[in-house]
Every structure is written in C-alpha cells, then in structure tokens.
Amino acid sequence: MKSFSVQWAKPVALLAALGIVSACSLPKVGPNKREIYAGSVQREGDAFIVSVNDRVTRATAVVPALGFSDAFKNAGTLTSDTIRPGDVLGLTIWENVDDGLLAGEASNATVLEEVQVDSAGFIFVPYAGRLRASGNTPEQLREMITAKLEDQTPDPQVQVRRLAGDGSTVSLTGAVGAQGVYPIERPTRTLATMLAQAGGVVIEPEIAEVTVIRGHEQGKIWYQDLFNHPELDIALRGGDKILVEQDTRSFTALGAMSSQARVPFESQDLSALEAIAQVGGLLSLSSDPTGVFIFRNEPAEIAGQVLGRTDLQGAQRMVYVLNLTEPNGLFVARDFVIRDEDTIYVTEAPYAQWTKTISLISGGLTPLSNIATLTD
C-alpha cells in the first residue's frame, strides 16, 4: 500500500493541479487577442477592428488644427501714437474770429484738458459731436475735428495731444517667466516680442500652446510656430489676453508594457512607436508584439475613409491593430499617429500564459508531494 501511494503521488498531484487550472481562469492584465476580436462588428460586436497598413496611417494622420483667423493675422501693427480706449487726450482749438464758437471774448483759443476716450473708443467735442478716436493717430483725429468745425467757424486750428493712457496694455498669464500686465510699446508690438518681454515660456517649447483672446474671438498656436511661421507673429491690440499653457493631450497605456498609466504627450506629433517607447517599451518575457491595439472613437469621416464606407454617422469605435513582427511593422508603427484620449493596449504573449500555468502546477505539486513524503 505504501509503495502504491509513493508511485502514484506525483501523477495524481499533476492531474489535480491540471484540474484546478482548467477549472479557473489564469490571472492576466486584460483581454487576449481572441477576446478582442470577438467584439468586432464582423462578429456582431460594436467595434471595427482594422489592421494598420500604409493606407490606414495616411487616413488617420490627423493632428490638432491650431492657428489664428484672418482677423488676427491681417491686423496691422500699431504705431507708437495710436489712440486706444482709456487714453486721455488734451485738445486746443484756435478760432480765427473774436467771438468764436468755443473761445471767449478775451482769447481766441479754447483748451479742453483730460478728454478721456471711452470704452467704445469715442470722445465728445463741442460742436463737432461724438467722434471715433480709437485706432487713429492724434494727427488723424486733429483732421477729423477740423473738418467738423470748419463748417461752423472760419479756418479753425486744432491741436491734439495724448496726455496719458492705460488702454494700450495686454495681460500675460500661465507658463511665462513673469505674469502681469504689459504696455504695448515700440519694441513689443507683436506676440513674440511681448512673450520675450515677459521672460519667455517656462515649459518645454515643444508642448507649449499660446492662446490669444481678443474680445469675443480667440486663436491658439504652438509656441514653436511663432518662429517657424512668421505670419503667426500677430500684431497686438490693447486689451489682448495671452495665455501660455502646456499641451493637455494624453493617452492611456495598458496591458503588457513596462508602465500602465495616463501619459501626457511629449511632442506635437506622437507616433505609436514613440508612445510605446515613452512608457518604457514592451516586456520581452510577457508582451505579444503581434497584439498591439489602439482603441479610439473615430469621427465618421475618418472612419469612412479607413473602412471605405459612406454610410457611417457619428463617432465610431475603432480598434487599430499593429503587428511589430511584420517586415515593415516598425515603420507602420512609426507612421501611425496617436491622438488625444487614445488607449494603447498590448496583449500578453501565449508564452506568458504557459509560464503562469506551469507556475500554478508547480505550486500545486508541492503540498501533495509533502503528503507523499510523510507517508513513507
């Protein structure tokens, strides 16, 4: 009886362990390839699963469209004496008669001090009415006042002086060297020079975004585009608000990778290969390089180009598959553009599941072997 128990102890233990393993599911980081494909539209699921090739990379290569409208780009540079809302002006009007419209009996000159330009950009001058001062130079405003008065008094002479003003300022906030309110002066009339005046950006220039808010309009560009595209170095206007902030885009990395986390973008354009490298790459003992999946809600127009369909409406659930073992697999992964809120998931290799099975079996044999030893 004793020899029988020793002889059959290990086979019985092996069978018991296999039964335990087959009766329960092995621990894993997420679904395997078979389970993902089971959720495809072709199998009555709700996601389109597409193998990535050169055509797919071209159809999905969409990056954020940042830029300024024509209203921003076509605005001319302000001259140093341009009048703006909030400025305070001084006016002197001479009349070529003894008893003029404005002048008293003892003098033919009238001085109007501290005439403030209102928020709408207008001033009021007696007998000339309400005139737009904002956007004009003192010389242009002088000509306007003269034209209004010369119909009522002969040969009027007008002088316009700017006494003070606080309307020619912009505010800078966010990731700049020194936040604050800055006047628009001769050296700082454009966006790039004003940012330099504020100490530049204090984050990585590659992922810095600059937003300019002007009234009810706003535009946003990449900081580096100021230097790569000179036409984006727009002229500033009094009251502009300039915000510098870090790129808020991110992707999620899950599965058999060195790190699982929500990961911010480190560059304007991020490829699948760069995204994998950014989280530490694949794991040599557990990652399946043939099962790299990108989950995305794709706009209907792009999904239609990828699938060759015209009947799609609304965002579509797309699962893009990369096989890094193919001859051009790394090139395709290098060209496939990752977008905001993408999820990159890497499945486990079959070897990893086999290793777990062997580990569980080995662990299950230990207590049974000890029992067999005790019976000897």
Side-chain angles (χ1 to χ4, degrees):
M1 185 70 178
K2 174 172 136 179
S3 62
F4 174 82
S5 63
V6 172
Q7 179 181 0
W8 292 98
K10 289 186 178 181
V12 170
L14 179 60
L15 290 174
L18 288 173
I20 294 172
V21 171
S22 62
C24 62
S25 102
L26 293 170
K28 55 184 180 180
V29 296
N32 55 34
K33 286 195 295 185
R34 178 181 56 80
E35 292 168 333
I36 293 175
Y37 279 105
S40 67
V41 171
Q42 296 88 333
R43 299 185 184 181
E44 300 183 354
D46 62 353
F48 292 99
I49 298 181
V50 179
S51 295
V52 179
N53 53 31
D54 292 336
R55 182 187 65 82
V56 174
T57 60
R58 288 192 297 270
T60 58
V62 178
V63 295
L66 303 183
F68 291 124
S69 66
D70 290 339
F72 279 95
K73 291 189 290 186
N74 295 335
T77 303
L78 294 177
T79 61
S80 58
D81 56 354
T82 301
I83 300 171
R84 305 174 183 86
D87 285 355
V88 178
L89 307 177
L91 307 179
T92 303
I93 302 171
W94 288 271
E95 298 181 66
N96 195 23
V97 291
D98 294 334
D99 187 13
L101 289 172
L102 301 173
E105 295 181 359
S107 172
N108 63 349
T110 302
V111 178
L112 302 177
E113 294 289 2
E114 297 188 358
V115 178
Q116 186 170 30
V117 182
D118 64 23
S119 60
F122 289 84
I123 63 170
F124 176 77
V125 178
Y127 297 101
R130 194 164 182 259
L131 304 174
R132 172 172 287 281
S134 177
N136 294 305
T137 65
E139 174 61 21
Q140 290 170 328
L141 181 59
R142 183 194 70 78
E143 293 175 356
M144 292 170 58
I145 297 172
T146 301
K148 290 287 186 178
L149 292 177
E150 64 184 359
D151 293 335
Q152 305 177 63
T153 184
D155 194 23
Q157 303 296 306
V158 180
Q159 181 186 42
V160 179
R161 308 176 307 282
R162 180 157 58 181
L163 304 180
D166 58 1
S168 56
T169 60
V170 299
S171 61
L172 283 93
T173 57
V176 293
Q179 302 183 63
V181 177
Y182 292 84
I184 300 177
E185 300 174 328
R186 185 177 293 274
T188 57
R189 298 179 193 171
T190 65
L191 180 57
T193 55
M194 186 62 76
L195 288 171
Q197 179 73 9
V201 300
V202 294
I203 55 178
E204 287 295 329
E206 177 73 15
I207 54 173
E209 295 178 344
V210 181
T211 302
V212 179
I213 302 172
R214 180 175 297 167
H216 297 292
E217 295 186 53
Q218 73 173 34
K220 178 185 292 187
I221 62 169
W222 297 107
Y223 175 70
Q224 287 191 328
D225 285 349
L226 279 174
F227 310 98
N228 299 331
H229 304 281
E231 68 275 9
L232 296 178
D233 189 15
I234 60 173
L236 298 177
R237 291 291 182 269
D240 282 354
K241 300 178 180 64
I242 303 171
L243 171 65
V244 179
E245 58 186 344
Q246 183 173 323
D247 184 6
T248 57
R249 294 176 299 162
S250 65
F251 67 93
T252 303
L254 296 173
M257 286 192 283
S258 298
S259 175
Q260 301 187 53
R262 183 173 179 269
V263 187
F265 279 41
E266 292 184 351
S267 60
Q268 294 179 22
D269 303 325
L270 185 67
S271 70
L273 200 62
E274 291 170 329
I276 293 172
Q278 194 171 321
V279 295
L282 304 184
L283 300 173
S284 59
L285 296 180
S286 61
S287 300
D288 183 0
T290 69
V292 178
F293 296 87
I294 294 94
F295 294 78
R296 174 186 299 167
N297 289 333
E298 196 74 271
E301 56 272 19
I302 298 178
Q305 293 180 35
V306 172
L307 300 171
R309 297 176 54 171
T310 58
D311 59 335
L312 300 176
Q313 295 183 356
Q316 303 293 315
R317 290 183 174 180
M318 304 288 288
V319 182
Y320 297 103
V321 188
L322 291 169
N323 183 351
L324 303 184
T325 65
E326 292 181 344
N328 65 337
L330 291 176
F331 286 102
V332 172
R334 185 197 63 183
D335 296 336
F336 186 82
V337 176
I338 297 298
R339 297 214 296 272
D340 188 24
E341 298 184 357
D342 278 357
T343 297
I344 303 176
Y345 175 74
V346 179
T347 58
E348 286 187 320
Y351 170 80
Q353 291 293 304
W354 171 249
T355 302
K356 291 177 183 178
T357 303
I358 296 300
S359 176
L360 288 174
I361 292 174
S362 301
L365 285 176
T366 303
L368 296 175
S369 300
N370 291 341
I371 294 174
T373 303
L374 292 175
T375 59
D376 289 340

